[in-house]
Amino acid sequence: MIRKSYLFFVVLLAAACHDLPPIPPPAPTPYLFESPPNFPPFFDPADNPTTLEGIALGRKLFYDPILSGDNTIACADCHRQENAFTDPRQFSIGIDGLPGKRNSMSLANIAWQNRLFWDGRALGLEDQALRPVRDVIEMHETLDNAVAEIQANPEYTDMFWRAFGTEKVDSALVAKALSQFERTFVSFNSKYDRWKNGTDSLNKSEMIGMQLFSDNTRGGCAMCHSFGAIFSDFLFRNNGLDSLPTDPGRFTVSGTLSETGAFKTPSMRNVEYTAPYMHDGRFATLEAVMDFYNTGFHLGPYTDPFMHTLVKGRLSSKDKKDIISFLKTLSEPEFLTNPAFKKPD
Ligand code: HEC
Ligand code: HEC
């Protein structure tokens, strides 16, 4: 008799539990972007709003080698915070010990860009995020494997639930979380910015360098590295590294012959920390870059028309030093140590 009522009770309880609606996740907390007044609007896709929970998940994934084939390489290995999220090696080494063909890129202010990679082949961060995972040289992993490994980790399923309201991991959500974390890499608190808002001053060399940078007949830099906010026009140009480029660059994506050897104009922010320079990391120092722009550039058939307007040898060694002094005013040391970007505990 006792046993029977006990059973009845268990059945009742089970039925009651069954009827309970699933526990809804708490609503994720919207992240408030700090966008500087003179910056253009950034790319903020409506189907992937940035939230604190999404950022936390993306941050864990960014530092986790779980996304690579043999679980040895994370995004952060080739995008290092102390180098403004690029790689100090000329070519990053992938999981099989093989070097890639291009230099890694800084992820500072990446929220303002929608054509990613040196040749712009990815359209937006969400589109870009999983390509290194599949890349045979970089992380060499199948998305199914990566997703299965993440799915098997309860710490991750809990974070997916908090960020996206589901414990079911899929690759699109992995890409969304990585993108949310990357969008927070904002850098606009340099000496130059403080000078602009009147709270710091530039010295004489920095001021002269800024003028040379912007003067089309002198430095000529601002023709492509647009003066003001991010210091890039984000267009694809051949700046005359070689007469005949070995890497076809943008041509591979657009099929336009005149874009042979054209690469995305990089931002000048934090350039002091992002050596080596150019898509193939051929220059180790800013001094070498300045020598290239003063005398070393080639006017080949695909070289950008703006480069043809620059006179070789136009800059004195003092001019070159002044331009470098100005470039260094675009550095933000705090960006390299911001605890919010570090590997999570
Ligand atoms: C083995 C090194 C390596 C790893 C690992 C790696 N990257 Fe990269 N990353 C690169 C290189 C090299 C490029 C430039 C490649 C090109 O243009 O063809 C790049 C480009 C990018 C860009 C484009 C930046 C721009 O300005 O257009 C983004 C964003 C990026 N990586 C994010 C990631 C994320 C997220 C991960 C992890 C899922 C990751 N990377 C893993 C080396 C790496
Ligand atoms: C015709 C457009 C153009 C002009 C003019 C120009 N640049 Fe560039 N710059 C580019 C492009 C495009 C790249 C990337 C080229 C590549 O990697 O193949 C680049 C790359 C760089 C890099 C390397 C950045 C990195 O992250 O690797 C630096 C530094 C640089 N330019 C500084 C300058 C300075 C200083 C001047 C003026 C003296 C200048 N540029 C003039 C278009 C231009």
Side-chain angles (χ1 to χ4, degrees):
M1 184 65 192
I2 294 165
R3 235 176 117 206
K4 248 190 181 169
S5 59
Y6 171 73
L7 259 181
F8 181 66
F9 178 71
V10 169
V11 169
L12 253 187
L13 191 75
C17 286
H18 188 76
D19 285 336
L20 275 179
I23 310 165
T29 328
Y31 174 77
L32 294 178
F33 269 99
E34 238 189 295
S35 183
N38 304 320
F39 272 39
F42 56 89
F43 294 99
D44 189 17
D47 64 351
N48 190 23
T50 308
T51 64
L52 297 185
E53 292 77 6
I55 295 169
L57 172 58
R59 182 176 170 193
K60 188 170 164 63
L61 288 164
F62 190 86
Y63 282 97
D64 195 339
I66 197 168
L67 288 175
S68 68
D70 60 358
N71 292 349
T72 56
I73 288 189
C75 310
D77 286 301
C78 305
H79 299 282
R80 304 182 191 178
Q81 186 181 4
E82 67 265 31
N83 300 100
F85 291 104
T86 180
D87 191 339
R89 296 169 294 184
Q90 180 175 16
F91 301 117
S92 311
I93 310 292
I95 66 157
D96 306 312
L98 296 171
K101 287 195 189 70
R102 290 183 185 160
N103 183 235
S104 179
M105 307 173 84
S106 166
L107 305 181
N109 300 325
I110 199 76
W112 278 270
Q113 300 190 46
N114 68 344
R115 291 192 288 184
L116 301 172
F117 289 121
W118 282 107
D119 53 17
R121 66 188 179 280
L123 301 175
L125 280 171
E126 283 77 3
D127 176 26
Q128 189 280 335
L130 298 174
R131 294 179 188 232
V133 177
R134 287 175 310 217
D135 185 292
V136 288
I137 288 178
E138 293 187 347
M139 298 170 104
H140 205 176
E141 175 64 300
T142 66
L143 292 182
D144 286 350
N145 273 350
V147 164
E149 279 182 66
I150 296 168
Q151 184 76 67
N153 179 333
E155 208 184 319
Y156 268 124
T157 45
D158 183 57
M159 291 179 92
F160 272 85
W161 183 69
R162 286 173 197 283
F164 298 114
T166 173
E167 290 193 324
K168 174 132 186 34
V169 179
D170 71 37
S171 55
L173 293 181
V174 171
K176 283 185 172 182
L178 283 167
S179 305
Q180 290 188 35
F181 177 51
E182 291 172 283
R183 283 200 177 92
T184 65
F185 298 165
V186 171
S187 175
F188 56 88
N189 192 13
S190 64
K191 190 177 182 191
Y192 160 81
D193 298 287
R194 291 192 299 275
W195 167 77
K196 250 180 116 173
N197 65 31
T199 57
D200 206 339
S201 55
L202 298 188
N203 66 32
K204 200 171 164 204
S205 170
E206 292 162 347
M207 286 300 283
I208 294 173
M210 182 163 68
Q211 282 153 11
L212 290 167
F213 184 93
S214 326
D215 184 336
N216 291 357
T217 62
R218 300 299 311 282
C221 319
M223 292 190 288
C224 307
H225 299 280
S226 317
F227 191 84
I230 312 213
F231 293 87
S232 171
D233 56 8
F234 296 132
L235 296 177
F236 301 89
R237 300 177 181 279
N238 177 327
N239 64 346
L241 289 172
D242 305 291
S243 311
L244 286 175
T246 45
D247 183 334
R250 181 71 183 163
F251 170 76
T252 316
V253 178
S254 68
T256 306
L257 200 61
S258 62
E259 292 195 301
T260 306
F263 295 88
K264 184 166 67 178
T265 310
S267 164
M268 290 291 99
R269 286 194 175 260
N270 296 304
V271 73
E272 178 180 4
Y273 311 125
T274 65
Y277 302 107
M278 305 298 166
H279 70 275
D280 54 5
R282 67 174 67 189
F283 299 127
T285 61
L286 287 173
E287 285 73 19
V289 170
M290 285 314 306
D291 288 339
F292 159 74
Y293 278 116
N294 191 33
T295 51
F297 56 94
H298 298 272
L299 298 175
Y302 310 114
T303 306
D304 193 275
F306 281 146
M307 291 304 296
H308 287 264
T309 68
L310 298 176
V311 176
K312 283 204 175 169
R314 67 199 179 285
L315 301 170
S316 68
S317 46
K318 182 174 171 301
D319 292 339
K320 290 188 278 183
K321 281 205 182 82
D322 290 339
I323 292 180
I324 293 175
S325 302
F326 166 66
L327 289 177
K328 289 185 177 170
T329 71
L330 300 172
S331 298
E332 182 187 343
E334 295 77 21
F335 183 70
L336 313 188
T337 53
N338 186 338
F341 305 150
K342 287 211 160 91
K343 186 174 179 166
D345 300 327

